[in-house]
Amino acid sequence: MKIILEENERLDEVNDKLRLIQKTDGLTFGTDALLLAAFVAKKAKRALEIGGGSGIVSLLLATRERCSYIDCLEVQETYAALIERNVHLNGLDGRVNAVCADARAFPLRADTGSYDAVFSNPPYMTVDSGAACDSDTKEIARHEHFGGIADFAATASRALKYGGAFYAVFLPERLADLISACRASNLEPKRLCFVSARSELPPSMVLLEARRGGKPGLFVTPTLILKKDGLDTEEMSYILEHGKFPAPYERRTPCRTLRT
């Protein structure tokens, strides 16, 4: 298949042997997206991604057959078109569908309450926080110009079936905002994982699973440490190999050995 790259684009082979066209002047595939895809715990027939970017999280979940069908929502037209190209490039036509729309106006009435799972790697920063980015695409990806976490949670709640799951990766310093947004939209936090680059460092990420209409009861997993002595930890190696979190991060019962 002949691949034509546009200006400021590059082609990479990433996890699961996926080929990914990325914008060099935008945000590229990182650990947050990789962990979000692995954190989606249960299989879903119909799923929605809010803020797809290049489409990598949806591509990973479709390739791993964790989701049978995914609508990948992206507000920027250039990135919605990029998602379509990456879907076709990896032979996932009919499995992942790019939707160019503002999350605050989605889902359409026909799609309300029709998704089993929603996942999102949303903009981390409020509009008035942090330094301005050197490109409009990065600025929109990093800052909440097209809706904040409360808007994303509200969209997830409207889209989900009762009992459906919402998964998000966010900043630890904004965890209160994330939990408040979920509860305001009838999404009850059920599983929480802090992520730290090394054991001596504070968490740099947090992953949350919430359930629409769920009962109170939050399972806080062990902190996921990514590196030890410059190498991937056993837990991170497991995630890279299996595309999911090991057992102690998916259930309440303590488990000393990693599941194979």
Side-chain angles (χ1 to χ4, degrees):
M1 177 181 178
K2 186 177 181 180
I3 302 169
I4 300 175
L5 296 179
E6 299 176 1
E7 186 179 0
N8 297 323
E9 288 186 347
R10 75 180 197 222
L11 178 65
D12 299 308
E13 183 170 307
V14 297
N15 301 69
D16 296 61
K17 296 183 179 179
L18 287 168
R19 292 184 293 171
L20 188 68
I21 302 171
Q22 304 194 81
K23 301 283 188 183
T24 58
D25 60 346
L27 298 185
T28 54
F29 178 39
T31 305
D32 51 357
L34 176 67
L35 293 179
L36 176 61
F39 196 67
V40 176
K42 294 185 177 181
K43 290 186 177 182
K45 289 184 178 180
R46 194 162 188 253
L48 172 70
E49 179 173 9
I50 306 175
S54 66
I56 183 58
V57 180
S58 290
L59 296 176
L60 286 168
L61 288 171
T63 298
R64 295 167 182 171
E65 298 186 349
R66 304 305 296 273
C67 300
S68 301
Y69 173 85
I70 303 169
D71 281 326
C72 190
L73 187 66
E74 172 54 50
V75 71
Q76 300 187 69
E77 290 184 8
T78 54
Y79 275 85
L82 180 63
I83 293 168
E84 289 184 349
R85 292 165 64 202
N86 280 324
V87 168
H88 185 63
L89 178 62
N90 290 281
L92 292 170
D93 302 86
R95 297 279 310 283
V96 179
N97 174 50
V99 179
C100 186
D102 189 319
R104 294 168 294 185
F106 196 87
L108 302 176
R109 184 173 299 176
D111 292 318
T112 300
S114 65
Y115 293 94
D116 303 293
V118 176
F119 48 92
S120 182
N121 182 0
Y124 292 161
M125 301 178 185
T126 59
V127 173
D128 58 355
S129 68
C133 297
D134 55 5
S135 73
D136 290 343
T137 54
K138 279 186 180 180
E139 178 67 19
I140 291 171
R142 287 185 184 275
H143 293 83
E144 298 175 329
H145 290 283
F146 288 91
I149 189 58
D151 298 299
F152 279 45
T155 296
S157 184
R158 291 194 302 271
L160 283 169
K161 297 177 180 177
Y162 190 84
F166 174 52
Y167 303 92
V169 57
F170 215 49
L171 294 179
E173 55 262 41
R174 295 198 64 196
L175 178 57
D177 294 338
L178 175 59
I179 290 178
S180 296
C182 285
R183 280 195 152 174
S185 292
N186 195 29
L187 298 170
E188 183 62 30
K190 301 299 294 181
R191 184 168 58 116
L192 178 71
C193 178
F194 290 101
V195 180
S196 182
R198 301 193 305 273
S199 60
E200 68 272 20
L201 295 177
S204 57
M205 268 181 267
V206 63
L207 293 150
L208 182 71
E209 175 186 351
R211 292 273 168 177
R212 180 172 177 247
K215 295 181 179 180
L218 178 63
F219 168 44
V220 180
T221 75
T223 298
L224 176 65
I225 308 298
L226 303 182
K227 296 283 185 179
K228 182 178 181 180
D229 299 326
L231 301 174
D232 291 332
T233 60
E234 183 180 5
E235 292 78 12
M236 187 60 184
S237 295
Y238 181 94
I239 291 170
L240 291 171
E241 180 180 354
H242 297 278
K244 61 182 180 180
F245 276 62
Y249 295 82
E250 293 189 356
R251 62 186 186 187
R252 296 173 185 271
T253 305
C255 180
R256 289 192 176 89
T257 59
L258 296 180
R259 190 170 55 195
T260 56

